[in-house]
Amino acid sequence: MIRRDPRALPPQTGTCEPSNVTTQTAKTSRTQPSRGGAPAQAARRMRDEILALPDGAPLGSEEELLARYGLSRPTLRQTARILEQEQLLVVRRGNGGGYYGRRPDIGAVTQAAALYLRLRQTTVRDVLDAFQLVNVEAARLAALTDTVDARLDLAEFRQNLVDRREVTYLAADVVRDEVALYAILMRMAGNPALELFHRTLFEFGQRDANLRVFQGHPDRCAHWRTGRLRIVDAILARDPEMAVLLARRQNRLMLDWVSPEVERESIAERD
């Protein structure tokens, strides 16, 4: 008779039972905290609440939020710092203070994106290539819109360009009119993502690229103004195909004017 060692494993059967290792792993995964810890989890909950309320709406006092979210005071304050950095929260101390929701403006978002582009050593050519794509799509969407106020503003912008045809057009004029034109076109396009990309690229590098390309070249400036007038006319005529064609043509012209030395320059190197 063979005696079984009591310390040995039980004989295998046809039924597959979960091992102790698997069971322990499952228990561990259930008990591990979510990524980011308690402040990040609380920030997600509070962020949802803020976005559901009007800009500037009060969330409550610190004591009220401690009770509502079931947090310790240090965790709540860490959570507040996260949301303050995102420009979603204002904390007011003292009598009548409390926590208030807010909406970040596009300028704050573009600053963060511009910092990322600087860290990546983004070149003038990188900015120009991306900007051309935004230009074309903005022209196409603007030609499709029926927004009356924006179309009236665009017609007024066109008239201002026409009225200044006899005046020497300089690089500073190009930059100024590009800002005014695309403020109108982005309203007409009605695409917040496109507007964000445009603002980021223009504030980060396109403004500087325009100055470098047009500075000291009044012939280029005048040619650019004529090209912009044609694009505006196509948009006002509700002709998206022509608007896209003209935008692409002017994009190619812009790239032809940029010297290879300028193309390779990093934006950060010139700051």
Side-chain angles (χ1 to χ4, degrees):
M1 177 177 179
I2 300 175
R3 295 187 177 182
R4 186 177 300 279
D5 187 342
R7 295 170 298 177
L9 294 175
Q12 296 291 328
T13 65
T15 304
C16 182
E17 298 290 341
S19 68
N20 289 339
V21 173
T22 304
T23 304
Q24 183 63 37
T25 302
K27 289 180 179 178
T28 302
S29 64
R30 287 196 298 269
T31 57
Q32 284 180 339
S34 300
R35 186 174 59 183
Q41 294 179 57
R44 284 191 288 271
R45 294 170 58 195
M46 196 177 296
R47 188 183 298 113
D48 289 341
E49 181 178 349
I50 291 170
L51 295 177
L53 295 171
D55 187 21
L59 302 179
S61 66
E62 186 170 79
E63 298 302 325
E64 290 171 336
L65 293 179
L66 287 172
R68 185 187 311 165
Y69 289 103
L71 302 174
S72 66
R73 199 175 302 276
T75 298
L76 177 61
R77 293 184 176 178
Q78 290 179 57
T79 300
R81 284 194 290 272
I82 293 172
L83 296 174
E84 283 178 312
Q85 290 174 356
E86 296 175 0
Q87 297 204 24
L88 287 173
L89 183 71
V90 174
V91 180
R92 298 174 187 165
R93 306 295 180 186
N95 293 333
Y99 286 57
Y100 296 82
R102 64 170 296 188
R103 295 287 186 272
D105 59 32
I106 193 170
V109 178
T110 57
Q111 285 177 11
L115 176 60
Y116 170 81
L117 294 175
R118 291 178 196 279
L119 293 174
R120 294 296 301 271
Q121 297 295 304
T122 304
T123 65
V124 171
R125 181 59 188 243
D126 292 333
V127 172
L128 290 175
D129 285 342
F131 200 76
Q132 310 316 314
L133 298 174
V134 173
N135 280 354
V136 170
E137 185 61 10
R140 185 186 73 83
L141 292 175
L144 295 172
T145 188
D146 290 321
T147 306
V148 176
D149 290 345
R151 292 183 66 81
L152 289 174
D153 289 344
L154 185 60
E156 182 179 350
F157 172 86
R158 181 193 184 282
Q159 190 59 50
N160 287 334
L161 282 184
V162 171
D163 292 343
R164 288 184 284 122
R165 263 185 171 163
E166 302 305 319
V167 179
T168 301
Y169 202 57
L170 302 176
D173 299 317
V174 171
V175 172
R176 181 198 61 233
D177 287 341
E178 286 288 276
V179 172
L181 174 60
Y182 277 93
I184 299 170
L185 295 189
M186 289 303 158
R187 285 168 50 208
M188 298 177 75
N191 186 320
L194 196 67
E195 180 185 9
L196 177 60
F197 297 151
H198 171 267
R199 281 283 298 272
T200 299
L201 292 169
F202 194 84
E203 295 299 330
F204 171 64
Q206 184 67 25
R207 183 192 300 272
D208 180 71
N210 281 352
L211 286 173
R212 294 169 68 79
V213 168
F214 293 103
Q215 194 77 48
H217 295 280
D219 55 328
R220 292 180 180 178
C221 297
H223 197 81
W224 192 254
R225 174 172 55 186
T226 300
R228 282 296 188 243
L229 277 171
R230 291 172 179 164
I231 293 172
V232 169
D233 286 342
I235 292 171
L236 291 174
R238 293 185 171 87
D239 189 341
E241 292 183 1
M242 180 57 68
V244 166
L245 177 65
L246 292 170
R248 286 176 175 164
R249 183 179 299 169
Q250 202 160 19
N251 288 345
R252 287 194 297 271
L253 186 61
M254 176 74 168
L255 293 175
D256 288 342
W257 285 338
V258 181
S259 67
E261 294 78 17
V262 171
E263 281 187 354
R264 291 191 294 269
E265 286 184 5
S266 168
I267 300 291
E269 290 174 359
R270 300 195 306 279
D271 289 346

